[in-house]
Amino acid sequence: MDQEAVMARLDAQAIETPSWAFGNTGSRFKTFPLPGAARSVWEKIEDAAEVHRQTGIAPRVALHIPWDRVDDPAALGRFAASRGIGIGAINPNLFQDDDYRLGSLTHPQAAVRAKAAAHLEECIAIMKATGSTDLSLWFADGTNYAGQDDFRARRRRLRGGLEACAALLPKGARMLIEYKFFEPAFYYTDLADWGAALAHARAIGPQAAVLVDLGHHAQGVNIESIVAVLLDEGKLGGFHFNARRYADDDLIVGSVNPLELFLIYAELVAAEADADTGTAACARTVSYMIDQSFNIEEKIEGMILSVLNCQEAYAKALLIDRAALAAAQEAGDVLGAHRIVMEAFRTDVRPLLAGWRRRRNLPEDPVMAHRDGSYLREIRRDRGTAAAASGYGD
Amino acid sequence: MDQEAVMARLDAQAIETPSWAFGNTGSRFKTFPLPGAARSVWEKIEDAAEVHRQTGIAPRVALHIPWDRVDDPAALGRFAASRGIGIGAINPNLFQDDDYRLGSLTHPQAAVRAKAAAHLEECIAIMKATGSTDLSLWFADGTNYAGQDDFRARRRRLRGGLEACAALLPKGARMLIEYKFFEPAFYYTDLADWGAALAHARAIGPQAAVLVDLGHHAQGVNIESIVAVLLDEGKLGGFHFNARRYADDDLIVGSVNPLELFLIYAELVAAEADADTGTAACARTVSYMIDQSFNIEEKIEGMILSVLNCQEAYAKALLIDRAALAAAQEAGDVLGAHRIVMEAFRTDVRPLLAGWRRRRNLPEDPVMAHRDGSYLREIRRDRGTAAAASGYGD
Amino acid sequence: MDQEAVMARLDAQAIETPSWAFGNTGSRFKTFPLPGAARSVWEKIEDAAEVHRQTGIAPRVALHIPWDRVDDPAALGRFAASRGIGIGAINPNLFQDDDYRLGSLTHPQAAVRAKAAAHLEECIAIMKATGSTDLSLWFADGTNYAGQDDFRARRRRLRGGLEACAALLPKGARMLIEYKFFEPAFYYTDLADWGAALAHARAIGPQAAVLVDLGHHAQGVNIESIVAVLLDEGKLGGFHFNARRYADDDLIVGSVNPLELFLIYAELVAAEADADTGTAACARTVSYMIDQSFNIEEKIEGMILSVLNCQEAYAKALLIDRAALAAAQEAGDVLGAHRIVMEAFRTDVRPLLAGWRRRRNLPEDPVMAHRDGSYLREIRRDRGTAAAASGYGD
Amino acid sequence: MDQEAVMARLDAQAIETPSWAFGNTGSRFKTFPLPGAARSVWEKIEDAAEVHRQTGIAPRVALHIPWDRVDDPAALGRFAASRGIGIGAINPNLFQDDDYRLGSLTHPQAAVRAKAAAHLEECIAIMKATGSTDLSLWFADGTNYAGQDDFRARRRRLRGGLEACAALLPKGARMLIEYKFFEPAFYYTDLADWGAALAHARAIGPQAAVLVDLGHHAQGVNIESIVAVLLDEGKLGGFHFNARRYADDDLIVGSVNPLELFLIYAELVAAEADADTGTAACARTVSYMIDQSFNIEEKIEGMILSVLNCQEAYAKALLIDRAALAAAQEAGDVLGAHRIVMEAFRTDVRPLLAGWRRRRNLPEDPVMAHRDGSYLREIRRDRGTAAAASGYGD
């Protein structure tokens, strides 16, 4: 791919940031409040706009309801637009109400299931008001003890709830079904892996697709191959990017194994090419979203770093010599094919990306521009340090 | 369930043993030859018959081709029948030929794929000759290095090979598609999880179902819930029972976590009941097979122990008070429901099973009967200690 | 071991319960408040007394400072004594103050280290006031990103802090050093495994020993063998019992793999016997403590169940035929030795334990006695449902 | 560090290659014979010399006894010297004799332990004959079933065997004690982690140190911090470099997570600096060895790649701005410190290393030089394709 083609692809890249990462979050042990952390959805949107201002590729912010609930969602959309960004996915919360102790759409009691369904309906209304086209569904549903509930019964309840929800989606909107290996459930999770999510997405039809969160797999799982399978099935809907070593660590994207992030992008780049020829067409409509929860680090800087790491991985993936790779694979040249991929990974794309930023009138070093800029200074001064609740022991 | 009903269910239980477990097998480091280990398929069948003689619930033996290839497979079936057992699943070997270094049905070269397809055709012919109705497919296919081959291209080659194979199956026969987390491939495995197997089985149709090997999952995976999902999808085809703590350890069934084995049987017992009412009908046709590879232990005794551990788990699962469990689940009584399941697990079913054996004129303690019996003494005397190659299977 | 000897050993068993398990706790996503949950240290002690009343083997409660800080700790000790229980280990909290964001004793800044040291000194004062002899040390210290801090520098800071703390311990008191694989740190944990804890305990001397929390290991780790090594090193100080499948799940003891719990007790029983002959003498002074955090289940009932599961595992371990086992091991009889251990595990010890309870005038079924008793009814009525904070998103 | 200093450090780097990687090896399922694979220790040494010829930093080859046993070991040393390389560590084999089914130094029977001890003595004699100074000890010892043997008894037997072996070591020679999480034992491994190895090394004294094999840890373990601890303890003896995603995959170094390899080297570079000031002095005597087992890839090329990946990681680690890093760590600047480390990792050191090679008259691209060179062509022609046994090592 020539330099101009790479630049054009970089121009088109867009990473959605999550509103919840800009407020104080923590572990079950402690939430450490940081100076300047956002205290409201309006401040979160301001922070998301700062990330976009510095990076140029973060034009949307995802919302989480009820954390980001306001009286007039349309006004929220206009506020975001005034700051230069749009509203991305709407994320319902089906885990933080006392009623959801034993599940939401999977709950043994019909009344709780109905409450969950009503919340989904509210979120769809917010989609309409804000122009969002993605309903991003994560269910904390599961059980902690053998025998606690009936797996198949829960599965049928979930299916029914998803079908009813899909019927309410506006035309052109999608339902992204996320899976997670464990947490907060510790014995069984209703949507524990991509196979579970795909089975529901298939049954529901074209409005449903699967959302891959990089932190939601068992140890050792080859995520890039799951991405490839979902592309092949036409059911890859989107990503929640972050990094993990142990559990759902929610660390900065690419901070644990940058090679893995690059290999995921390598699959996406290949599928984008194939989409032109008719297969893996869903590669055209993938939603690239970050989902992180900062425990100890500066939030906006951490988010800028995550966005940049996605950009770097994408840029490197664009540099893979695809024709040479296909030839080596065809020839069964194991190490030759591996080398072609690794040489792209080895490339230092910082100069390339600095050039792209100059063309776009963006700061060459977005992290330092943010560190040294007025925005950070002002929010620290104006917001102070919010008191933070903690979920453990108090 | 009353005692007679339990006895009747125990009467119907059948566990298939694998021919390959009776010969010398080992790790990549060493195969320790044991005195009396079977040296031919004929001796393996004799050993499988001994397991059935002592336990009464192991009436079939699975074959592995080419390890168990003979000139006249029908004669093999008659020989087995003369020893009181039948021929179970036929297991092709698509990993031990030099040509399969980069894959079998997924290989980049058409000639190797054709060779693999021809081997499957040979196995189907053996099915016909021996009356076997299960083609049990495990693919070692995968890659060791990023970039080595194209995930989606391999997937399409595999799909094509499976479809062609399915078309050759005799009427009423099934193709069981096994998945495995890793090994021998260490970067990517073409059929790495149940989702991958199910997608193929769905595409192929009613002749195809999924085979669950207890040792083929990532750490922490809740296997009983996968069993439940496959039952709900009507696609649970069979099991390869064994135990694991680390990788595909191939240890004696139930030796690592007997609670897990019991919980798997609890799902199967529940589905058998539901099958009477029209759902989870595939619970009626599940093939229960053992797949083990003994490294250091006595082989026939190890197999008897595996069979008995399955029987014990099944007996305990039959004792679960289903009505009370459903009521507790419905009421959201987390610990009450858990207790009902655990009380069944706590029950010492050795007296119950000894009673069942007496009724069937079986030895009350099959392990000691085998240890003290003439069969073991004779094979040790007659067979001696075979020289053993390093590795697995032959 | 004859029945009377088993009864005598059961008489001597003591499991310490943790005060923090009786209040509302949760995951980072949500704390579900339960009716009747304890709202103060006084109520926690009442609940711990209920567990002891029903089970007869939970005579002490561990405290956590500052959660259980009171003006007059000695009065707390007297209050506990009036309820029939004693004060067990004192657990400092070095993770919930804003200053500990980057560590406590390992923090790069001396001022924070001094603050942590002062808190340890306060806890030692509480030990003296309450008669506690165990200082139970868990450090959340670690880092989230490569490069964040210097491993060896942190190690030396920790060593210094531990040494200073040990110098303050009253005569006869011990410092138990706990380790944890991960969480809340997600890149590096300063005390990540038993080897790390043992190295410090060795350097500090006889006052220090290692504390094993069953939930704090990587997947697949053989915990019973770590117990054996620590016994052999004379450095096993105590346990935090709970169960885990994924991370530090803090589930009811024995609910994930009861065989593992039994095998741990099997090591302890063997060491108790050896302690009589001079080795593994630390088996005599092991502190058996539960550490759990209930998310969705009834707290007191869950604690009773955990205590009973420890009792059951111990009882089964006492039934192992040690002489036969040693003979089989000596003879290299792999499956024979395994069978001897498993036959003890298979035994249904419920009748034995019911007999023991009758002799002690305890309810035969402690769980049902608690469920049906007046205590639970009264605390639900009197305490109501406390409002619960949550650590995630608000 | 200025460029000349970096060059000097690169000049001093030395990576030892393992003889066994040049012959045909495989998994338990299959060993795929490759054209040109070495058929004898003489050919293995020739191949090791080729790796050194192309890379300039692989000046020694490790031997494995009995695979590399010859009548006159001194002649082997002279042969190696004539090819431009030296003899590195001697690796005894205590797992491939029929007698070692239940252990070697840990075996319940004294006769087997004596046999193992005699083999160690033979290896020490070979050390003396070849001038090797490292005895590299890996024990496959462990058990497959609960109860099979007594943990503490095995530990004491192992301790005795190690002590006796240490007493035989020539002056100045070392015993490197390797640990491994699992395999071939699947329930319990006698030396399962660094803590187990360190305890023995401490007891034995200055002649013993710990060997870290990158593939021998549980999932998620932070290896760079173990390296730091062993450096701090003065007990880091050496490495077995390779890569793993699942088990002991024995893949090309750096092929799974190059960041991890770099972070390990970052610890070593830091310790080398500290060694000048008196701490972590063992950093000066670390033996850098590769341990791999190729299944499907070209062996010599794979080894060259492994060596080069070590060089690349070391070069990047040398580029870390240590003063800036220390300042950021001191200031608690989490993301600033992380960035300093990651910027070094991001650097494309291929030009730097090409420059270093030119200065040393080495091929700028060692992989292509080997691919296109006469050596590969000739061994393929002369050696043909050896018949390969299943399994590992011979």
Side-chain angles (χ1 to χ4, degrees):
Chain A
M1 199 178 292
D2 68 24
Q3 175 111 347
E4 276 313 302
V6 169
M7 289 291 175
R9 297 290 280 276
L10 291 173
D11 284 343
Q13 191 180 16
I15 309 287
E16 186 170 312
T17 60
S19 70
W20 53 92
F22 297 111
N24 283 318
T25 54
S27 74
R28 62 171 168 147
F29 296 106
K30 170 68 176 171
T31 294
F32 293 103
L34 283 199
R39 299 160 301 175
S40 69
V41 62
W42 313 97
E43 292 181 355
K44 291 171 184 174
I45 287 175
E46 301 259 24
D47 290 356
E50 163 75 357
V51 174
H52 185 45
R53 198 154 47 233
Q54 301 294 0
T55 65
I57 58 169
R60 278 186 300 281
V61 60
L63 300 183
H64 190 113
I65 308 300
W67 302 337
D68 299 331
R69 187 187 276 148
V70 292
D71 289 339
D72 181 357
L76 202 62
R78 289 190 299 272
F79 177 79
S82 77
R83 278 10 186 213
I85 60 173
I87 301 297
I90 302 299
N91 291 256
N93 180 316
L94 295 166
F95 54 88
Q96 233 164 17
D97 190 283
D98 289 354
D99 281 340
Y100 298 141
R101 186 170 60 97
L102 304 181
S104 62
L105 288 187
T106 65
H107 198 285
Q109 293 174 21
V112 178
R113 298 198 296 273
K115 176 173 179 166
H119 177 61
L120 292 175
E121 193 168 353
E122 177 198 358
C123 289
I124 291 172
I126 293 172
M127 292 174 70
K128 292 173 182 167
T130 57
S132 165
T133 56
D134 282 344
L135 183 69
S136 182
L137 295 174
W138 173 59
F139 296 92
D141 296 46
T143 62
N144 273 9
Y145 292 99
Q148 179 186 326
D149 204 355
D150 182 290
F151 299 140
R152 287 183 291 130
R154 292 176 70 90
R155 188 169 194 258
R156 287 190 291 264
R157 294 175 208 142
L158 179 57
R159 178 68 56 83
L162 290 173
E163 286 170 343
C165 177
L168 300 175
L169 283 174
K171 199 170 147 58
R174 297 186 306 169
M175 161 192 287
L176 305 182
I177 304 174
E178 190 169 354
Y179 57 91
K180 186 175 182 181
F181 185 43
F182 78 97
E183 197 210 19
F186 293 131
Y187 165 62
Y188 158 75
T189 295
D190 286 286
L191 285 167
D193 60 17
W194 71 272
L198 178 62
H200 287 296
R202 282 234 155 284
I204 285 161
Q207 281 179 297
V210 178
L211 188 150
V212 177
D213 181 300
L214 301 199
H216 290 190
H217 303 83
Q219 293 281 19
V221 165
N222 182 315
I223 301 174
E224 55 267 32
S225 72
I226 292 175
V227 169
V229 169
L230 290 173
L231 284 164
D232 205 40
E233 291 274 325
K235 281 295 192 188
L236 180 65
F239 284 95
H240 272 179
F241 282 129
N242 50 51
R244 65 94 69 160
R245 177 191 281 269
Y246 300 102
D248 183 27
D249 306 340
D250 272 332
L251 297 176
I252 289 172
V253 184
S255 64
V256 173
N257 185 350
L259 178 60
E260 180 184 69
L261 183 67
F262 159 78
L263 292 170
I264 289 167
Y265 268 105
E267 290 305 311
L268 291 159
V269 167
E272 286 173 3
D274 290 351
D276 296 336
T277 63
T279 62
C282 67
R284 289 275 176 248
T285 54
V286 172
S287 292
Y288 293 89
M289 302 178 278
I290 287 172
D291 178 14
Q292 279 180 243
S293 164
F294 297 115
N295 288 307
I296 59 165
E297 60 272 47
E298 288 293 329
K299 293 162 202 309
I300 299 174
E301 182 174 338
M303 191 57 69
I304 290 173
L305 194 47
S306 282
V307 169
L308 295 179
N309 285 347
C310 289
Q311 188 181 40
E312 187 172 306
Y314 186 48
K316 289 183 176 186
L318 291 169
L319 299 181
I320 296 171
D321 184 339
R322 294 282 165 183
L325 179 60
Q329 290 173 341
E330 177 78 15
D333 181 359
V334 174
L335 295 181
H338 177 59
R339 175 186 167 101
I340 289 163
V341 167
M342 295 304 286
E343 291 292 296
F345 177 70
R346 276 191 175 86
T347 307
D348 188 344
V349 292
R350 288 176 299 181
L352 171 77
L353 294 174
W356 177 83
R357 286 192 194 101
R358 278 192 301 272
R359 287 162 52 136
R360 293 275 302 262
N361 293 317
L362 291 162
E364 280 197 25
D365 185 336
V367 167
M368 295 314 291
H370 168 70
R371 279 202 169 204
D372 298 340
S374 58
Y375 185 80
L376 181 62
R377 202 164 50 242
E378 287 164 14
I379 60 172
R380 283 186 173 164
R381 183 193 62 206
D382 298 343
R383 296 179 185 171
T385 302
S390 172
Y392 186 74
D394 60 0
Chain B
M1 201 178 290
D2 69 22
Q3 175 111 349
E4 276 314 301
V6 170
M7 290 290 176
R9 297 289 280 277
L10 291 172
D11 283 347
Q13 190 181 18
I15 310 286
E16 188 170 311
T17 59
S19 71
W20 51 94
F22 298 110
N24 284 317
T25 54
S27 73
R28 63 172 168 146
F29 296 105
K30 170 69 177 172
T31 293
F32 294 104
L34 283 198
R39 299 160 300 174
S40 69
V41 62
W42 313 97
E43 291 181 358
K44 291 172 185 174
I45 288 175
E46 301 259 23
D47 290 356
E50 163 74 358
V51 174
H52 186 46
R53 198 154 49 233
Q54 302 293 359
T55 64
I57 58 168
R60 279 185 301 280
V61 60
L63 299 183
H64 190 114
I65 308 301
W67 302 338
D68 299 330
R69 187 186 275 148
V70 293
D71 290 340
D72 182 356
L76 202 62
R78 289 190 300 271
F79 176 78
S82 78
R83 276 11 185 213
I85 60 174
I87 301 298
I90 302 300
N91 292 255
N93 180 316
L94 295 166
F95 54 88
Q96 233 164 17
D97 189 282
D98 289 352
D99 282 339
Y100 298 141
R101 186 170 60 97
L102 305 180
S104 63
L105 288 187
T106 65
H107 198 285
Q109 293 174 20
V112 178
R113 297 197 296 273
K115 176 174 179 167
H119 178 60
L120 293 175
E121 192 168 354
E122 176 197 358
C123 288
I124 291 172
I126 294 172
M127 291 175 71
K128 292 173 183 167
T130 58
S132 165
T133 57
D134 283 342
L135 183 67
S136 182
L137 294 175
W138 172 60
F139 295 92
D141 295 48
T143 63
N144 273 8
Y145 292 99
Q148 179 186 327
D149 205 355
D150 182 289
F151 298 141
R152 287 182 291 129
R154 292 176 70 89
R155 189 169 194 257
R156 289 190 289 265
R157 293 174 208 142
L158 180 56
R159 178 69 55 84
L162 291 172
E163 286 170 342
C165 177
L168 300 175
L169 283 174
K171 199 172 147 57
R174 298 187 305 170
M175 161 191 289
L176 305 181
I177 304 174
E178 190 169 354
Y179 57 91
K180 186 176 183 182
F181 185 43
F182 78 97
E183 195 210 23
F186 293 130
Y187 165 64
Y188 158 74
T189 296
D190 286 285
L191 285 166
D193 60 18
W194 71 271
L198 178 62
H200 287 297
R202 283 234 154 281
I204 286 162
Q207 280 178 299
V210 178
L211 188 150
V212 177
D213 182 301
L214 301 199
H216 289 190
H217 303 84
Q219 293 280 19
V221 165
N222 182 314
I223 302 174
E224 54 268 32
S225 72
I226 292 175
V227 170
V229 168
L230 290 172
L231 284 164
D232 205 41
E233 292 273 325
K235 281 296 192 186
L236 180 65
F239 284 94
H240 273 178
F241 283 130
N242 50 52
R244 65 94 69 159
R245 175 191 282 270
Y246 300 102
D248 182 28
D249 305 341
D250 273 332
L251 297 176
I252 288 171
V253 184
S255 64
V256 173
N257 185 349
L259 178 61
E260 179 184 69
L261 183 66
F262 160 78
L263 292 171
I264 290 167
Y265 267 105
E267 290 305 311
L268 291 158
V269 167
E272 286 173 2
D274 291 350
D276 296 337
T277 64
T279 62
C282 66
R284 289 275 177 248
T285 53
V286 171
S287 292
Y288 294 88
M289 303 178 277
I290 288 171
D291 180 13
Q292 281 180 241
S293 165
F294 297 115
N295 288 308
I296 60 165
E297 62 271 47
E298 288 292 329
K299 293 161 201 311
I300 298 173
E301 182 176 337
M303 191 57 69
I304 290 172
L305 193 48
S306 282
V307 168
L308 295 179
N309 284 348
C310 290
Q311 187 180 41
E312 188 173 304
Y314 186 47
K316 289 183 175 187
L318 291 169
L319 299 181
I320 295 171
D321 184 340
R322 294 281 165 183
L325 179 60
Q329 290 173 341
E330 177 78 15
D333 181 359
V334 174
L335 296 181
H338 177 59
R339 176 185 165 102
I340 289 163
V341 167
M342 295 304 286
E343 290 294 294
F345 177 70
R346 276 191 175 87
T347 307
D348 187 345
V349 293
R350 288 176 299 182
L352 171 77
L353 294 174
W356 176 83
R357 286 190 194 103
R358 278 192 300 272
R359 287 162 53 137
R360 294 276 302 262
N361 293 317
L362 292 162
E364 280 196 24
D365 185 335
V367 167
M368 296 314 292
H370 168 70
R371 277 204 172 203
D372 298 340
S374 58
Y375 185 79
L376 181 62
R377 200 164 51 243
E378 286 165 15
I379 61 172
R380 284 184 171 165
R381 181 194 62 208
D382 298 344
R383 296 178 185 172
T385 302
S390 258
Y392 183 77
D394 62 358
Chain C
M1 201 178 290
D2 69 23
Q3 176 110 349
E4 276 313 302
V6 169
M7 289 291 175
R9 296 290 280 276
L10 291 172
D11 284 344
Q13 191 181 16
I15 310 286
E16 186 171 311
T17 59
S19 70
W20 53 94
F22 298 110
N24 282 318
T25 54
S27 73
R28 62 172 169 146
F29 296 106
K30 170 70 177 171
T31 293
F32 294 103
L34 283 198
R39 299 161 300 175
S40 69
V41 63
W42 313 97
E43 290 181 357
K44 291 172 184 174
I45 287 175
E46 301 260 25
D47 290 356
E50 163 74 357
V51 174
H52 185 45
R53 199 154 48 234
Q54 300 295 0
T55 65
I57 57 169
R60 278 185 301 281
V61 60
L63 300 184
H64 190 114
I65 309 300
W67 302 338
D68 299 331
R69 187 186 277 148
V70 292
D71 289 340
D72 182 356
L76 202 62
R78 290 191 298 272
F79 177 78
S82 77
R83 282 357 190 220
I85 60 173
I87 301 297
I90 302 299
N91 292 256
N93 179 318
L94 295 166
F95 54 88
Q96 233 165 16
D97 189 282
D98 289 353
D99 281 339
Y100 297 142
R101 185 170 60 98
L102 304 181
S104 62
L105 288 187
T106 65
H107 198 285
Q109 293 173 19
V112 178
R113 298 198 295 273
K115 176 174 179 165
H119 178 59
L120 292 175
E121 193 168 353
E122 176 198 358
C123 289
I124 290 172
I126 294 173
M127 291 174 70
K128 292 173 182 166
T130 57
S132 165
T133 56
D134 282 344
L135 183 68
S136 183
L137 295 174
W138 173 59
F139 296 92
D141 296 47
T143 62
N144 273 8
Y145 292 99
Q148 179 186 326
D149 204 355
D150 182 288
F151 298 141
R152 287 183 290 130
R154 293 176 70 88
R155 189 169 193 257
R156 287 190 291 263
R157 292 175 208 142
L158 180 57
R159 178 68 56 84
L162 291 172
E163 286 169 344
C165 177
L168 301 175
L169 283 174
K171 199 170 147 59
R174 297 187 306 168
M175 160 191 288
L176 305 182
I177 304 174
E178 190 169 354
Y179 57 91
K180 186 176 183 181
F181 186 43
F182 78 97
E183 196 210 20
F186 293 131
Y187 165 64
Y188 158 74
T189 295
D190 286 285
L191 285 167
D193 59 18
W194 71 271
L198 179 61
H200 287 297
R202 281 234 154 284
I204 285 162
Q207 280 178 298
V210 178
L211 188 150
V212 177
D213 182 300
L214 301 198
H216 289 190
H217 303 83
Q219 293 281 19
V221 165
N222 181 315
I223 301 174
E224 55 268 32
S225 73
I226 292 175
V227 170
V229 169
L230 290 173
L231 285 163
D232 205 40
E233 292 273 325
K235 281 294 192 187
L236 180 65
F239 284 95
H240 273 179
F241 282 129
N242 51 50
R244 64 95 67 160
R245 176 191 282 269
Y246 300 102
D248 183 28
D249 306 342
D250 272 331
L251 297 175
I252 289 171
V253 184
S255 64
V256 173
N257 185 349
L259 178 60
E260 179 184 70
L261 183 66
F262 160 78
L263 292 171
I264 289 167
Y265 267 105
E267 291 304 312
L268 291 158
V269 167
E272 285 172 4
D274 291 351
D276 297 336
T277 64
T279 63
C282 66
R284 288 275 176 247
T285 54
V286 172
S287 292
Y288 294 88
M289 302 179 278
I290 287 172
D291 179 14
Q292 279 180 243
S293 164
F294 297 115
N295 288 307
I296 60 165
E297 59 273 48
E298 288 293 329
K299 292 162 202 310
I300 299 173
E301 181 175 339
M303 191 56 69
I304 291 173
L305 194 47
S306 282
V307 169
L308 295 180
N309 284 349
C310 289
Q311 188 180 40
E312 187 172 306
Y314 186 49
K316 289 183 176 186
L318 290 169
L319 299 181
I320 295 171
D321 184 338
R322 294 281 165 182
L325 179 60
Q329 289 173 342
E330 177 78 15
D333 181 358
V334 174
L335 295 181
H338 177 59
R339 175 185 166 103
I340 288 163
V341 168
M342 294 304 286
E343 290 294 294
F345 177 70
R346 276 191 174 87
T347 306
D348 187 343
V349 292
R350 287 175 300 181
L352 171 77
L353 294 173
W356 177 84
R357 286 191 194 102
R358 277 192 301 272
R359 286 163 52 137
R360 293 276 301 263
N361 293 317
L362 291 162
E364 280 197 25
D365 185 335
V367 167
M368 295 314 292
H370 168 71
R371 278 203 171 204
D372 298 338
S374 58
Y375 185 80
L376 180 62
R377 201 164 50 242
E378 287 165 14
I379 60 172
R380 283 186 173 163
R381 184 194 60 207
D382 298 343
R383 296 179 185 172
T385 301
S390 172
Y392 187 74
D394 61 0
Chain D
M1 200 178 292
D2 68 23
Q3 175 109 350
E4 275 314 300
V6 170
M7 290 290 176
R9 297 290 280 276
L10 291 172
D11 284 344
Q13 191 181 18
I15 309 287
E16 187 170 311
T17 59
S19 71
W20 52 95
F22 299 109
N24 284 317
T25 54
S27 74
R28 64 172 168 147
F29 296 105
K30 170 68 176 173
T31 293
F32 293 103
L34 284 199
R39 298 160 300 175
S40 69
V41 63
W42 313 96
E43 291 181 356
K44 291 172 185 175
I45 287 176
E46 301 258 24
D47 290 356
E50 164 75 357
V51 174
H52 185 47
R53 198 153 50 232
Q54 301 294 359
T55 64
I57 57 168
R60 278 185 301 280
V61 61
L63 300 183
H64 190 114
I65 309 300
W67 302 339
D68 299 331
R69 187 186 276 148
V70 292
D71 290 340
D72 182 355
L76 203 61
R78 290 189 300 271
F79 176 78
S82 77
R83 275 14 184 212
I85 60 173
I87 301 298
I90 302 300
N91 292 256
N93 180 317
L94 295 166
F95 54 88
Q96 233 164 17
D97 190 282
D98 289 353
D99 281 339
Y100 298 141
R101 186 170 60 96
L102 305 180
S104 63
L105 288 187
T106 66
H107 197 285
Q109 293 174 21
V112 178
R113 297 197 297 272
K115 176 174 178 166
H119 178 59
L120 292 175
E121 192 168 353
E122 177 197 359
C123 289
I124 291 171
I126 294 172
M127 290 175 71
K128 292 173 182 166
T130 57
S132 165
T133 57
D134 283 343
L135 183 67
S136 182
L137 295 175
W138 172 59
F139 296 92
D141 295 48
T143 63
N144 273 8
Y145 292 98
Q148 178 186 326
D149 204 354
D150 181 289
F151 298 141
R152 287 182 291 130
R154 292 176 71 89
R155 189 168 193 258
R156 288 190 291 264
R157 292 175 209 141
L158 180 56
R159 177 69 55 85
L162 291 172
E163 286 169 343
C165 177
L168 300 175
L169 283 174
K171 198 172 147 57
R174 298 188 304 171
M175 161 192 288
L176 305 181
I177 305 175
E178 190 169 353
Y179 57 90
K180 186 176 184 182
F181 186 43
F182 77 97
E183 195 209 22
F186 293 131
Y187 165 64
Y188 158 75
T189 295
D190 286 286
L191 285 166
D193 58 20
W194 70 271
L198 178 62
H200 287 296
R202 282 233 155 283
I204 286 162
Q207 279 179 299
V210 178
L211 188 150
V212 178
D213 182 300
L214 301 198
H216 289 189
H217 303 84
Q219 293 281 17
V221 165
N222 181 315
I223 301 174
E224 54 268 33
S225 72
I226 292 175
V227 169
V229 169
L230 291 172
L231 284 164
D232 205 40
E233 292 273 324
K235 281 295 192 186
L236 181 65
F239 284 94
H240 272 178
F241 283 129
N242 50 51
R244 63 95 69 159
R245 175 189 282 270
Y246 300 102
D248 183 29
D249 305 341
D250 273 332
L251 297 175
I252 288 171
V253 184
S255 64
V256 172
N257 185 349
L259 177 61
E260 179 183 70
L261 183 66
F262 160 77
L263 292 171
I264 289 167
Y265 267 105
E267 290 305 311
L268 291 158
V269 167
E272 285 173 3
D274 291 350
D276 296 335
T277 64
T279 63
C282 67
R284 289 273 176 248
T285 54
V286 172
S287 292
Y288 294 87
M289 303 179 277
I290 288 172
D291 179 12
Q292 280 179 242
S293 164
F294 297 115
N295 288 308
I296 60 166
E297 61 271 48
E298 288 293 328
K299 294 161 201 311
I300 299 173
E301 182 176 338
M303 191 57 69
I304 290 172
L305 194 48
S306 283
V307 168
L308 295 179
N309 284 347
C310 290
Q311 188 180 41
E312 187 173 305
Y314 186 47
K316 289 183 176 187
L318 291 169
L319 298 182
I320 295 172
D321 184 339
R322 293 282 164 183
L325 179 61
Q329 290 172 341
E330 177 78 15
D333 181 359
V334 174
L335 296 181
H338 177 58
R339 176 186 165 102
I340 290 163
V341 168
M342 295 304 286
E343 291 294 294
F345 178 70
R346 276 191 175 87
T347 307
D348 188 343
V349 293
R350 288 176 299 181
L352 171 78
L353 294 174
W356 177 84
R357 285 190 195 102
R358 277 192 302 271
R359 285 162 53 136
R360 293 276 302 261
N361 294 317
L362 292 162
E364 280 196 26
D365 185 335
V367 167
M368 296 314 291
H370 168 70
R371 277 203 172 205
D372 298 339
S374 59
Y375 185 80
L376 180 63
R377 201 163 52 241
E378 286 165 14
I379 60 171
R380 283 185 173 163
R381 182 194 63 207
D382 297 344
R383 296 179 185 171
T385 302
S390 258
Y392 182 78
D394 63 358

